[in-house]
Amino acid sequence: MTTFVLVWAGRLATALGSSISGFALGLWIYQQTGSVTQFATGLLLAFAPGMLAAPAAGVLVDRYRRRTVLLCADAVAMLGAVALAVSQTTGHLAVWQVYAVIIVESGCAAFQWPALAAAVTGMVRPEQRGRASAMTQTALAGAQLLGPMLAAVLLGVGGLRAVLVVDVASFGLGLLTLLFARFPEPTGRPKQTESHRERPGWRAELTEGRRVLTHQPGLKHLLRLVTVLNAAEATATALLLPLVLAGTPEAEQNAAVAMVSTAGGLGLAISSVALSVWGTPRRPLPWVTGATVLSGIAVLQAGFFPRPVPLAAAAFVFFVGLPVVSSCAQVLWQSAVAAEAQGRVFALRRMFTQGGILLGYLVAGPLASHVFGPLVDPGGPLADSLGRLLGTTSDRGSALLLCCTGLILAVTALAGRHHTITALPAQPAECPSPAGSSPPAECPSPAGGPLPADQESAVNTAGPPVATSPPARP
């Protein structure tokens, strides 16, 4: 875990810097333009380029050393932050420049996260992968919680310049940890010294990654479930603020928004820290199903009781479940996908799950206003029946959409509850060491020796090695 902790510390610094700068730059764009559309454009650009680059990024992550990929991606992202800092210092910062850097950083993220997730498989032993995934979630949760607060402090002390300097420094710390870390590399992939003719083509590698992504019915269900969960999170996030404001007197609106936001952040932080301390359960798949059903019930409750206190409770429960699903799903993917293919598979998985977030942001507003609203608003066909069950809120369309989202989420989870995921035979974490020196004490015995008992017990992290679900249809 030593190498992972070093890299994790660098990722924490980078995520915190990005959260601070993202909040401050979004605020700056709105202050400069007064346009919600231009502000929303920045949010869209943070997702779309990374989704488009994901397939190519996955192939490159599997072809080259993952440490090298991370170093290059971080260096490019850091150059973008430096460019913004220079433009702001010289008084030439423009909105289009911020957009350009957002696009660059989104593309870099398409390389960073698959490379890191695939590298973790070799950094830590199988029984520690759940804790490693939970620690990553803790870093992200901490960055999301602390980023806006630290951004407000920095903007008050040194303005946008201070924020951008901190962002550049955070990238520098991340690069420094990568320079000192030594990643184990998978042994089953083609060697970099092979000629281009001997390597499989890009299309063949992507086809193989897509096949591995869904070669088990359980993996296909897991991909579908996490995508739907991300879409539900984006939908709920987009609708939460209007619902809080609609059901709260104007004098109490700021306090109500703060209470709901804090409740969600606390749920995320508590769950992430608990998983970091105790690790993921030995049978992760039932926990994925249970946590997703619980999150769906929370979203359903938010639709039926759209008032600040019930919304805060729903936000807390929903965000408690997110790290459970994310950490357990990551353990299942790492156990069921060969190390040499994880770059492609994780990049494609990220493309689908990020697509769920993007879809949720895009359709939440139009569906609530133009589809669900006319159904339950006064005079609508369901106003006297279902509309009355949604309370007295003036935004019944958003409440109904939340109810439907929660039901879809719970039904999706329950529909696949009988699936299992067959893990590959557990491979020990590779421990690189200088030539001539002995491996660290935590490394397994040389090839040909028996695996430790704890690694043998981790071969199947989801259940028995035989899937009970029918084979996937073509």
Side-chain angles (χ1 to χ4, degrees):
M1 286 283 286
T2 303
T3 301
F4 170 77
V5 171
L6 178 63
V7 176
W8 175 84
R11 296 301 96 188
L12 173 61
T14 302
L16 186 58
S18 297
S19 178
I20 292 171
S21 64
F23 179 86
L25 288 172
L27 181 61
W28 181 84
I29 289 174
Y30 186 76
Q31 290 173 340
Q32 294 295 311
T33 64
S35 170
V36 176
T37 300
Q38 293 204 39
F39 173 76
T41 300
L43 297 178
L44 178 63
L45 293 176
F47 287 100
M51 288 174 53
L52 296 176
V59 173
L60 291 175
V61 167
D62 282 339
R63 283 190 174 188
Y64 299 97
R65 291 183 175 274
R66 284 150 187 176
R67 176 172 172 270
T68 303
V69 172
L70 278 171
L71 282 169
C72 292
D74 278 11
V76 172
M78 182 178 179
L79 288 177
V82 170
L84 285 184
V86 171
S87 295
Q88 198 281 332
T89 301
T90 58
H92 295 93
L93 184 62
V95 173
W96 71 265
Q97 294 174 325
V98 177
Y99 286 166
V101 171
I102 290 175
I103 292 173
V104 169
E105 291 187 351
S106 177
C108 290
F111 292 84
Q112 290 165 331
W113 291 109
L116 180 62
V120 168
T121 303
M123 286 184 199
V124 300
R125 299 170 68 174
E127 67 273 12
Q128 296 291 338
R129 289 172 187 165
R131 182 170 286 107
S133 178
M135 289 175 65
T136 302
Q137 290 298 314
T138 303
L140 294 177
Q144 291 177 8
L145 280 174
L146 297 176
M149 293 185 291
L150 293 177
V153 173
L154 290 172
L155 288 172
V157 174
L160 186 60
R161 182 182 306 175
V163 169
L164 295 176
V165 169
V166 167
D167 192 24
V168 173
S170 70
F171 276 115
L173 286 174
L175 283 170
L176 191 62
T177 58
L178 290 175
L179 289 173
F180 283 100
R182 290 294 180 266
F183 288 13
E185 298 293 335
T187 56
R189 66 185 183 187
K191 296 181 179 179
Q192 298 180 21
T193 56
E194 292 182 356
S195 67
H196 292 291
R197 291 184 180 180
E198 294 173 322
R199 284 181 177 177
W202 283 65
R203 181 176 298 180
E205 292 192 51
L206 285 175
T207 301
E208 175 64 15
R210 186 169 62 250
R211 187 195 66 78
V212 174
L213 184 69
T214 57
H215 77 285
Q216 294 187 44
L219 289 179
K220 188 182 296 185
H221 163 68
L222 188 62
L223 177 64
R224 180 171 55 247
L225 184 60
V226 175
T227 302
V228 172
L229 179 61
N230 281 356
E233 179 191 0
T235 301
T237 301
L239 300 177
L240 201 59
L241 181 61
L243 278 175
V244 172
L245 297 179
T248 308
E250 185 174 356
E252 303 174 6
Q253 286 180 352
N254 290 339
V257 171
M259 178 177 63
V260 175
S261 300
T262 302
L266 283 175
L268 189 68
I270 290 172
S271 181
S272 299
V273 171
L275 288 169
S276 299
V277 174
W278 289 296
T280 54
R282 293 183 62 84
R283 295 174 62 85
L285 196 55
W287 282 78
V288 170
T289 301
T292 307
V293 171
L294 192 63
S295 296
I297 293 173
V299 176
L300 182 65
Q301 177 224 310
F304 276 113
F305 303 99
R307 292 182 294 276
V309 173
L311 286 175
F316 179 84
V317 173
F318 183 85
F319 282 99
V320 161
L322 280 185
V324 176
V325 175
S326 179
S327 298
C328 291
Q330 181 67 9
V331 170
L332 291 169
W333 284 107
Q334 288 173 329
S335 68
V337 178
E340 62 271 15
Q342 287 185 2
R344 284 163 288 168
V345 172
F346 291 172
L348 289 172
R349 181 193 65 177
R350 177 181 170 84
M351 182 179 68
F352 281 105
T353 55
Q354 292 284 299
I357 295 176
L358 185 60
L359 179 64
Y361 280 135
L362 288 177
V363 305
L367 285 178
S369 300
H370 304 298
V371 178
F372 290 94
L375 292 175
V376 291
D377 285 341
L382 301 178
D384 295 330
S385 55
L386 186 58
R388 291 184 176 181
L389 296 176
L390 299 176
T392 58
T393 177
S394 60
D395 196 1
R396 290 182 177 181
S398 296
L400 180 58
L401 178 54
L402 278 182
C403 291
C404 293
T405 301
L407 282 174
I408 292 172
L409 188 57
V411 169
T412 303
L414 291 174
R417 66 186 184 278
H418 297 304
H419 283 297
T420 59
I421 293 177
T422 303
L424 298 175
Q427 296 295 324
E430 299 178 37
C431 302
S433 57
S437 62
S438 58
E442 65 268 20
C443 288
S445 56
L451 286 175
D454 53 0
Q455 291 186 14
E456 290 178 348
S457 65
V459 170
N460 192 337
T461 59
V466 179
T468 58
S469 53
R473 295 181 180 179

